Amino acid sequence: MSVNDLDLERVVTIKAINCDDILRNRLYSFGIIAGSQICVTAKSLAKKTIEIKINQSKVALRYSEAINIKVG
């Protein structure tokens, strides 16, 4: 399951991040790493943008970025 599939406010753990090094480094800079707990706090109407909460920060991700974050 990826972040895109999550319901709002459901807390899950990141299992893996499957992407190229450039995107991985960008996600790491936001603290998005395997083992972290996240939840989806908002989705745009077209679901092209997803807002997640990780630690005490909120980060907006594109659909194409969020689909690479596997959670369980």
Side-chain angles (χ1 to χ4, degrees), residues 2 17-19 24 32 60 68:
S2 71
I17 299 172
N18 302 322
C19 61
R24 182 175 292 118
I32 301 171
N68 296 308

Side-chain angles (χ1 to χ4, degrees), residues 52-72:
I52 64 168
K53 182 176 181 183
I54 183 161
N55 300 322
Q56 297 302 316
S57 301
K58 290 185 176 180
V59 178
L61 299 173
R62 296 178 191 98
Y63 179 90
S64 61
E65 296 169 337
I67 201 166
N68 296 308
I69 303 170
K70 304 302 178 193
V71 296

Side-chain angles (χ1 to χ4, degrees), residues 40-53:
V40 174
T41 55
K43 294 181 180 180
S44 64
L45 290 177
K47 298 184 180 179
K48 297 289 184 187
T49 305
I50 298 169
E51 181 185 75
I52 64 168
K53 182 176 181 183

